[in-house]
Amino acid sequence: MQQTLEVTSPEEYKSKVPKYEDRLSEELVIALVGPIASGSTATADLIQDLLGSEFDYKVFRYKLSDVIKQDAEKVDIDIGEQISFANRIDKHQTAGDGLRKRFGNGYLASRIVSAIAKNRNDNDGFQQPGDGGAKKIAKQKRWVHIIDSIKHPEELKILKQTYGDVFWLFGVFAPLQVRKERLKDQSVSEVDATNIINRDYSENEQHGQKVKDVFHQSDFFIRNDSQSKERLERDIQRFLEVMFGSPQRTPTKDESSMYSAYAEACRSACLSRQVGAAVVDETGNLIGLGRNDVPKTNGGLYEANEPNAPTTDSRCYAWKNGQCHNDARKDKLYQDIFAQLKSNNLLKENSSEAGVIEAVKSTDVKSLIEYSRAVHAEMDAIISIARTNKPGLLGATLYCTTYPCHSCARHIVASGITKVFFIEPYPKSLAQDLHSDSIDSSESSDKVKFLQYMGVAPKNILKLFRVEKGRKENGKIEPFDKKNSKPVVRVSLDDYTMHEELEVARLEQDNDG
């Protein structure tokens, strides 16, 4: 397998030194991730059709399920022709887990990288300078490699490390009930459907499937819950045009609002995770922002530009021992539980403190969030509206980078907010269990809707929508030619040492002239 791409010496460019722009790749690597029965394969099919027919790309397809089927015998599993759809899925899941356990959690992604490298070698992906000693260099190719679909964070890590900014992750989702119905259409029972979905989303084993931990890292989020593929095709078409810099494409209201929440999250100094929230009224006007951080006297939260900072900054990193006080309180609680059990003679003679505490940590006690000093982002956003006496909270929509905890959920319901969009899951949240009477995940529900965000990931908003040059040519909008358009984000086919050599060669060429 070709591990690294080394380039030829400056002498090769003496007669005609290439411009840096000419060495920017147009190649793309696109992976999909989605809970089972979300329609990742249908989405991959449409991406392939659109990039091939409208953007003039040569398409290569890769399926992790094919790799699993090919390598299953390495973990003593015979997938073969299974009797039922459910049985086939179970065999693939078990074989995939076994391969990750034996060869490493990134094994399946490494196999895909190997296949991509082979395709490049087999399809004239390199040019030979022909001087005998020089090594081959990458050719400019309008290629896309589509990977259907990844299930583990380590697989994502390997693909991102290998392909950098030419790699894009499409997250495909559909509501739980829609996915169950799709499995039932494949003659899967209710019990089997539930087991398959739960196993796919987040297995307990470290080497198991963990779609939950991959999905929220997507670059694009696609809702695929319609029986018709027209809406799905329209959404994918828009995402592709955004990737290629269509001058007609700008952020949607949802994308702008979630970006506001994302930007606010970056201001948080919480030691656990950064969370941001934004509230918009019924007409789409931004009326409140919030982040998870420590409250201060006279209202609001501590922030970086406090007067006389850092002495007056009392966020957790700068207060007392610079520790997470929620964790510290829980550690004390674990010790107190052990002490009480021991003092009441409720432990076996050979029970150790470490063993008991580890057992307690396996319960929901570890999920307690009661002792945090921080105001949560959703609460901060709601309070900021009350503090500034702004109207519009009734019927408003809240955008949050993370699914609300159960404490925030009840405040959201009580505030009159009618819709919530989120990106990252929050397994500790009991919001749906405790407030199923007033919260639902269905778009058609008359309850407060908690919905997965759809759109361009907020981390990509500036990268994809920021126009460095104007949108017009000779006073009119610049035409968007899909077949000749180039991706907005491109990387060099060469490394930085080659860039240095090119500049030296160009300088020598200029001096010779």
Side-chain angles (χ1 to χ4, degrees):
M1 187 182 76
Q2 184 73 21
Q3 296 289 343
T4 57
L5 303 182
E6 295 189 42
V7 292
T8 184
S9 64
E11 286 70 22
E12 288 295 320
Y13 298 87
K14 279 284 188 176
S15 58
K16 182 180 179 182
V17 180
K19 295 179 180 178
Y20 172 74
E21 310 87 76
D22 296 334
R23 297 295 293 162
L24 291 178
S25 175
E26 296 179 34
E27 195 169 347
L28 298 171
V29 178
I30 295 175
L32 293 99
V33 60
I36 196 164
S38 291
S40 293
T41 297
T43 303
D45 291 342
L46 285 171
I47 293 174
Q48 173 176 336
D49 292 344
L50 291 170
L51 282 174
S53 63
E54 298 190 17
F55 291 83
D56 199 27
Y57 264 71
K58 180 178 177 62
V59 181
F60 298 90
R61 286 286 293 270
Y62 312 83
K63 290 179 70 71
L64 265 71
S65 60
D66 289 343
V67 176
I68 291 172
K69 188 172 183 179
Q70 292 166 14
D71 291 1
E73 61 181 21
K74 295 180 179 179
V75 288
D76 300 321
I77 294 176
D78 180 16
I79 291 181
E81 294 300 324
Q82 304 305 320
I83 297 173
S84 68
F85 181 82
N87 188 245
R88 185 167 72 249
I89 294 297
D90 178 71
K91 286 280 190 177
H92 274 85
Q93 289 178 327
T94 302
D97 290 357
L99 290 167
R100 280 187 286 265
K101 183 176 183 179
R102 180 173 179 183
F103 300 107
N105 289 327
Y107 173 74
L108 298 176
S110 296
R111 288 276 278 108
I112 296 297
V113 171
S114 177
I116 292 175
K118 185 178 186 304
N119 272 330
R120 184 172 290 108
N121 277 312
D122 294 348
N123 289 274
D124 193 30
F126 299 101
Q127 63 187 45
Q128 298 287 354
D131 67 352
K135 297 182 180 180
K136 57 187 179 182
I137 62 176
K139 281 185 178 181
Q140 181 65 267
K141 293 288 186 179
R142 204 165 171 86
W143 287 353
V144 59
H145 306 274
I146 301 176
I147 305 166
D148 175 21
S149 55
I150 62 176
K151 299 286 186 180
H152 195 282
E154 193 65 24
E155 295 166 359
L156 174 61
K157 179 181 178 181
I158 285 175
L159 292 170
K160 289 177 73 172
Q161 287 179 339
T162 304
Y163 298 108
D165 287 342
V166 303
F167 174 80
W168 300 92
L169 182 63
F170 281 68
V172 185
F173 67 93
L176 178 60
Q177 195 53 44
V178 171
R179 292 188 283 122
K180 284 188 174 182
E181 290 299 324
R182 288 173 179 170
L183 289 174
K184 287 180 182 178
D185 288 343
Q186 298 291 333
S187 300
V188 178
S189 69
E190 177 77 24
V191 172
D192 285 343
T194 299
N195 291 337
I196 289 170
I197 286 171
N198 290 342
R199 183 179 183 183
D200 170 79
Y201 192 60
S202 183
E203 287 188 288
N204 291 328
E205 293 84 357
Q206 196 270 340
H207 55 270
Q209 298 183 123
K210 299 183 183 298
V211 169
K212 166 182 72 69
D213 297 330
V214 180
F215 182 85
H216 71 272
Q217 300 184 61
S218 297
D219 295 292
F220 303 92
F221 297 92
I222 302 176
R223 177 181 286 271
N224 179 22
D225 58 357
S226 175
Q227 295 297 324
S228 169
K229 73 173 188 178
E230 289 182 3
R231 191 176 84 170
L232 179 62
E233 183 173 358
R234 181 193 66 212
D235 292 335
I236 294 172
Q237 177 77 259
R238 175 179 179 268
F239 286 149
L240 294 178
E241 290 182 8
V242 167
M243 287 175 65
F244 283 84
S246 168
Q248 292 89 5
R249 296 298 187 182
T250 57
T252 64
K253 180 187 74 173
D254 286 345
E255 288 167 343
S256 295
S257 301
M258 188 60 82
Y259 177 73
S260 296
Y262 178 80
E264 188 67 14
C266 295
R267 299 179 62 198
S268 168
C270 183
L271 300 180
S272 296
R273 72 170 83 195
Q274 292 177 304
V275 182
V279 180
V280 300
D281 63 21
E282 290 184 287
T283 59
N285 295 311
L286 180 65
I287 58 173
L289 288 171
R291 65 188 183 278
N292 59 325
D293 229 326
V294 179
K296 65 177 182 178
T297 305
N298 298 321
L301 311 179
Y302 289 107
E303 51 189 303
N305 60 347
E306 292 293 326
N308 304 316
T311 55
T312 58
D313 186 346
S314 294
R315 289 178 286 184
C316 292
Y317 80 89
W319 194 66
K320 292 192 174 179
N321 297 322
Q323 64 183 349
C324 174
H325 293 274
N326 192 60
D327 287 350
R329 289 281 178 175
K330 285 192 295 183
D331 286 341
K332 183 178 183 302
L333 182 60
Y334 301 145
Q335 294 167 357
D336 289 346
I337 291 172
F338 171 77
Q340 285 295 320
L341 291 172
K342 184 177 181 180
S343 65
N344 285 279
N345 297 317
L346 296 173
L347 297 175
K348 295 180 179 179
E349 290 184 6
N350 61 347
S351 297
S352 67
E353 180 176 4
V356 172
I357 288 178
E358 194 62 33
V360 173
K361 284 184 176 181
S362 68
T363 71
D364 280 350
V365 173
K366 188 178 181 180
S367 299
L368 289 174
I369 54 177
E370 323 300 319
Y371 307 117
S372 173
R373 298 179 66 233
V375 174
H376 287 195
E378 303 93 317
M379 294 184 188
D380 183 37
I382 292 171
I383 293 171
S384 74
I385 297 169
R387 190 169 59 244
T388 54
N389 199 30
K390 290 180 181 176
L393 188 57
L394 286 174
T397 298
L398 184 142
Y399 296 82
C400 192
T401 56
T402 302
Y403 188 93
C405 73
H406 41 276
S407 182
C408 286
R410 53 180 171 259
H411 287 82
I412 290 167
V413 172
S415 72
I417 289 171
T418 57
K419 189 181 293 186
V420 175
F421 287 103
F422 66 92
I423 293 179
E424 188 173 351
Y426 188 54
K428 293 181 181 180
S429 179
L430 300 175
Q432 191 64 58
D433 293 336
L434 298 178
H435 300 287
S436 59
D437 60 310
S438 54
I439 291 174
D440 202 346
S441 60
S442 171
E443 277 191 300
S444 59
S445 174
D446 58 359
K447 300 177 183 179
V448 181
K449 304 173 185 65
F450 278 44
L451 304 173
Q452 174 69 52
Y453 166 77
M454 174 179 163
V456 175
K459 63 185 178 183
N460 293 324
I461 292 294
L462 294 181
K463 183 161 58 176
L464 292 174
F465 289 107
R466 175 64 179 164
V467 179
E468 297 298 333
K469 61 183 183 64
R471 290 189 170 101
K472 61 185 178 180
E473 184 178 289
N474 298 323
K476 294 184 178 180
I477 185 154
E478 186 176 349
F480 180 56
D481 179 4
K482 293 180 183 178
K483 291 188 181 298
N484 292 296
S485 62
K486 302 182 188 304
V488 172
V489 181
R490 302 165 67 196
V491 301
S492 177
L493 292 165
D494 312 311
D495 61 24
Y496 67 89
T497 59
M498 183 59 195
H499 302 165
E500 293 172 344
E501 292 176 353
L502 290 178
E503 287 305 316
V504 171
R506 186 176 290 111
L507 178 63
E508 292 176 357
Q509 184 182 42
D510 292 342
N511 290 338
D512 290 343

